[in-house]
Amino acid sequence: MAQANVATEREAFVQHHFVNAEQQFDTAKLGMWIFLVTEILFFGGLFCSYVVFRTWYPHTFMEASSHLDKLLGGADTVDLICSSVTMALAIHYIQKGNERMTMIMLGITFLFGAAFIGSHAYEWLDEMSHGIYPGKAYAFKGISGSHAYVFFSLYYLMTGLHGIHVLIGMGLMAWLMVKTKRGRFSAKYYTPIEITGLYWHFVDLIWIFLLPLLYLVD
Amino acid sequence: MSEQHHHIVPIKMILTVGAILVFLTILTVFIGYLHLPNPYNVIAGIGIAVIKASLVVMFFMNLYWERRRFNIMVFLAGIVFLTVFVGITLLDTLHRAHITPGF
Amino acid sequence: MESKETTNTTKIKVRHFPLDENPPHHYANWQKGIKSWLTTKDHKRIGIMYLATITLVFLFAGTMAILIRLSLWNPANHIVAAKTYNILFTLHGTMMIFLFLVPGVPTTLGNFFIPMMIGAKDVAFPRLNLASYYIYLTGAIFTVWAIIHGGVDTGWTFYTPYSIQSTTHVLPMTIGIFIIGFSSILTGLNFIVTLHKLRAPGMSWGKLPLFCWGIYATSIIQVLATPVLAITLSLLIMERVLHVGIFNPALGGDPILYQHFFWFYSHPAVYIMIVPGFGIISELIGTFSKKRVFGYWFIAISSLAISFLGFLVWGHHMFVSGQSALASTVFSLITFLIGIPTGIKIFNWLATMYKGSIWLTTPMLYALSFIFLFTIGGITGIMLGALSVDVQLHATYYVVAHFHYVMFGGMLIAFIGGLHYWWPKMTGKMYSETMGKISWFFIFVGFNVTFFPQFILGAKGMPRRYYNYLPQFETLHRTSTVGSWILATGFLIMAGYLIYSLAKGEKAPSNPWGARTLEWMTASPPIHSNFNYIPVVTHEPYDFHRPVSEFQLGLVGSEENGHDGGNGATSPDGGTPVVADESQS
């Protein structure tokens, strides 16, 4: 047990209002968990809209969902899962002090994110070419239910909001890679990577629920 | 100086969990193609999603090894309040006396 | 100090640190220049910046109120046009709620005092704290832009479908509030983490001042409810821009769904507004009765209970909206339950004062006013929560009177009380007690003259948000308007003597009120790092029978820069310091 009242070397990365690195790390983690809870409630509004309208128009939702490509949705999910794997590996490597592998893993995570965005851009453009737009601009005639545009509006809103979060995550990856390159992280201090990891896994989590709700309704 | 006793997840475990998640994804998409009747399609879809989510939360987000119980409570609180939000709203929307034909 | 011989305790050495009443520099002058303020990470400076900003907001929104009451002087209003009247009450409500009351106490008194009360040097995330301020400012600028370009006329509730169709500047206003919501979330997040992680040795949960419990309960609500406001406003924006058809009945959407989303935030929001006030009142009643606050744990836990229950009652704003009868019944029942934890607090405060040594200072006058006014507000809230009664009273002046009694008579009164209580600590100056009491008198009388007639107006059927009215309501409306002038006078007097005190006030000692919480154990104003040692807490915050010196204990060897030293005994993992009852978590 550390002796009380013995002045010890204060490490450079520990901010002045913290007693030691452990307290700072724990604090950052708690902060990120609370932030993720706010994100749960934020997406929650969209989930609630979805549930309400789905209970009102179940058949329209089923029919509309069948126009989405399940395989593409599944591929997107696999993509994000792989990105979570590489993110977890990035944390593993920095905990071992292997900065090079950390950089590589962060980079691959970034690429998986980019692939996800690319896939979505393709999907959205494809739908729009069929006249499936959000809201009033909806012009697709292929669904018999009268409220199909509600499904697609929710689809655009939910995947759009999720996509924004993926883009933010990619920005964070890039920032982490720059800092890793500059040698700012080590086995003793990797807090930003840890909490970005939590954020990134959460983004994966949201998509895990979006898949059955949007693509697998029928 | 106090040591940081952070749990390091072994690479093998990360990859195994990842593989399970991919398998479950394939499974859920496959079930989607089966066109199960309501409500089984919902139960299957959401059920598998919950299992996948639990794996991500426990093993990638490290809640399985989390020493600070409060972090776990924080996450569960988020789920609870989301359930309250959706659940009580449904208490209204599912029990409307009469849905106006114009809607 | 003796140690308990368990494996989880550490012996620490503690001594008394005599207080330096006149340190050479304090938090406001150790660094000079506007840049040092704008880039500060010091929670105290951030608190002051927030205070200055929300004072300006209050002035503006208050002026709106004066104009509203003026325009209601005559039954057939010829003072403002109908649309202008709608803009006036929308701006008054929006600014008061989102820009003044919701940030209100947490960002000003909370920011300044929470770290000090727990013996910390700052909040958990100081840079995030500064970011919160700038985010608030950005949101405020958007709302100001909307105001300059003609304002909004939808009411602060932005109900659809009118808010979708209104030609006024709904978009910048809602974007502004969305941004301010982020500020609120980050503030709440910061406080929760601060209270969990940065408490001084010995500061167990049971020794936290009740103001901290109040801010803690508030922060939980802020974190859980505000995101739903964010998504609601986002969906409203999407509705206006893309016509997504979720809330718009013309497009097959459901306007009642909007109300569910809106009130899921806005009802807990009223608890965000009042619960810090409860915390302040606990401090004031304790200090000015020179007595332990009665039922500490009852008050602490009841704050949490209110936070939780507050999430289950939002539909009581929607009884007549078309919501299902089942939902309405459930909401009404739970609304009655919320009265219980609130009532517990009121009785605990009364019990605190019983046989206490009452010192009738300005803050105490405000605390007593709070108990009286908030009780009226709270009970009328229960009346509105009765489903059948609400059918008659919904959207009448009864509701307006109710919420002004709780928000103004409750929250604002508590805020003013707290401001006066902590004024010597924040500014190092004493304000004039005589002027404080005179101003209090104007505000108390003015408030009741303004708002009590509104209960009667509402019960007699006067609807809210109407710019003109039937002649039989003239006397009551005019009384209310005269009351608003008395109120305004009170506030002007207050502004006068507070500003005067900054220039010419008597220098404040460290502990003018004889309190026992940690923030009074430093100089007035405090030094930049709050304490220049690590405080160690051995007593409860309201142990008035113990001498002040027993609250000025600190860790031996922690002098000079407070927490620099990194000793294991203060780390959460370093085990329990011997003086505490339970380990920090």
Side-chain angles (χ1 to χ4, degrees), chain A residues 5 17 19-20 23 56 135 149, chain C residues 124 197 243 251 254 556 570-571:
Chain A
N5 305 330
H17 57 289
V19 170
N20 57 30
Q23 189 188 35
W56 279 343
Y149 59 86
Chain C
K197 293 293 181 197
H243 307 282
L251 296 175
D254 185 22
V556 168
T570 57
S571 89

Side-chain angles (χ1 to χ4, degrees), chain A residues 80-189:
Chain A
L80 277 187
I81 289 172
C82 293
S83 76
S84 269
V85 168
T86 52
M87 186 74 225
L89 287 172
I91 292 177
H92 173 96
Y93 282 120
I94 195 66
Q95 283 175 316
K96 292 264 175 75
N98 188 338
E99 290 173 41
R100 192 180 144 270
M101 280 307 289
T102 304
M103 276 284 285
I104 293 175
M105 287 300 143
L106 288 173
I108 301 179
T109 310
F110 181 93
L111 290 173
F112 276 126
F116 182 86
I117 297 289
S119 155
H120 266 295
Y122 163 74
E123 207 181 342
W124 278 24
L125 287 171
D126 186 52
E127 261 128 42
M128 288 182 187
S129 71
H130 288 110
I132 298 178
Y133 287 94
K136 214 172 193 177
Y138 181 79
F140 184 61
K141 299 280 188 274
I143 298 175
S144 54
S146 58
H147 288 86
Y149 59 86
V150 175
F151 175 84
F152 285 111
S153 292
L154 284 170
Y155 162 79
Y156 278 111
L157 287 171
M158 289 164 101
T159 54
L161 187 62
H162 179 261
I164 291 174
H165 281 79
V166 172
L167 282 169
I168 293 174
M170 284 165 59
L172 291 171
M173 291 306 143
W175 171 73
L176 286 179
M177 291 197 323
V178 166
K179 287 193 93 172
T180 312
K181 189 97 202 269
R182 292 195 187 149
R184 298 274 212 247
F185 301 127
S186 65
K188 282 197 293 192
Y189 174 66

Side-chain angles (χ1 to χ4, degrees), chain C residues 465-579:
Chain C
R465 295 177 172 169
Y466 275 37
Y467 83 122
N468 56 12
Y469 51 85
L470 297 172
Q472 68 238 44
F473 296 131
E474 186 184 78
T475 318
L476 287 168
H477 267 294
R478 288 194 173 177
T479 314
S480 182
T481 303
V482 170
S484 72
W485 301 335
I486 304 175
L487 262 177
T489 312
F491 278 111
L492 288 171
I493 298 176
M494 188 189 304
Y497 70 75
L498 286 179
I499 295 175
Y500 179 84
S501 80
L502 289 175
K504 297 273 178 62
E506 187 194 313
K507 179 164 191 327
S510 62
N511 195 354
W513 315 118
R516 295 294 190 268
T517 41
L518 275 178
E519 79 272 22
W520 300 105
M521 307 303 152
T522 64
S524 300
I527 56 175
H528 168 65
S529 55
N530 300 338
F531 305 92
N532 45 23
Y533 56 92
I534 296 181
V536 173
V537 178
T538 56
H539 297 308
E540 291 170 7
Y542 310 108
D543 266 349
F544 290 101
H545 57 282
R546 293 194 189 275
V548 171
S549 60
E550 286 191 28
F551 293 83
Q552 292 165 350
L553 300 175
L555 215 49
V556 168
S558 66
E559 295 89 340
E560 257 183 4
N561 276 315
H563 296 243
D564 286 347
N567 20 86
T570 57
S571 89
D573 260 323
T576 314
V578 92
V579 290

Side-chain angles (χ1 to χ4, degrees), chain C residues 269-349:
Chain C
V270 316
Y271 296 110
I272 294 176
M273 294 188 258
I274 193 67
V275 171
F278 291 152
I280 296 176
I281 298 300
S282 292
E283 298 299 321
L284 299 185
I285 301 268
T287 302
F288 295 107
S289 308
K290 238 186 187 60
K291 198 158 157 267
R292 275 186 72 239
V293 180
F294 186 89
Y296 174 93
W297 279 112
F298 276 96
I299 296 191
I301 302 296
S302 67
S303 298
L304 295 177
I306 291 172
S307 292
F308 175 66
L309 285 173
F311 276 95
L312 306 179
V313 298
W314 77 84
H316 66 220
H317 299 270
M318 298 161 55
F319 283 149
V320 298
S321 63
Q323 178 176 254
S324 77
L326 173 63
S328 291
T329 315
V330 169
F331 281 126
S332 176
L333 178 65
I334 306 179
T335 305
F336 281 114
L337 290 179
I338 284 205
I340 299 176
T342 320
I344 286 176
K345 287 187 195 291
I346 303 274
F347 286 114
N348 277 322
W349 290 323

Side-chain angles (χ1 to χ4, degrees), chain C residues 105-257:
Chain C
V105 168
T107 59
T108 55
L109 301 172
N111 256 328
F112 204 104
F113 290 107
I114 295 292
M116 293 180 72
M117 282 179 164
I118 62 175
K121 281 182 90 174
D122 209 317
V123 289
F125 306 115
R127 286 171 299 192
L128 203 63
N129 205 5
L130 185 65
S132 283
Y133 176 69
Y134 282 115
I135 294 172
Y136 170 82
L137 214 52
T138 311
I141 290 172
F142 269 90
T143 55
V144 167
W145 195 95
I147 293 168
I148 293 175
H149 286 82
V152 180
D153 68 347
T154 58
W156 79 277
T157 46
F158 299 104
Y159 274 11
T160 58
Y162 183 64
S163 55
I164 304 172
Q165 302 155 358
S166 172
T167 53
T168 54
H169 290 81
V170 174
L171 227 48
M173 184 66 96
T174 47
I175 292 174
I177 297 170
F178 178 89
I179 295 173
I180 290 175
F182 269 109
S183 171
S184 185
I185 289 173
L186 293 175
T187 304
L189 192 156
N190 224 334
F191 283 136
I192 295 177
V193 181
T194 305
L195 287 166
H196 272 274
K197 293 293 181 197
L198 294 185
R199 284 168 289 137
M203 176 66 82
S204 58
W205 286 98
K207 296 203 179 75
L208 273 179
L210 287 167
F211 179 63
C212 298
W213 277 103
I215 295 289
Y216 184 62
T218 308
S219 303
I220 294 176
I221 310 177
Q222 277 177 298
V223 158
L224 288 170
T226 318
V228 178
L229 175 73
I231 195 72
T232 308
L233 293 175
S234 309
L235 285 174
L236 182 61
I237 294 171
M238 289 294 113
E239 206 45 272
R240 269 182 82 92
V241 170
L242 291 177
H243 307 282
V244 286
I246 295 183
F247 298 138
N248 192 348
L251 296 175
D254 185 22
I256 303 178
L257 191 64

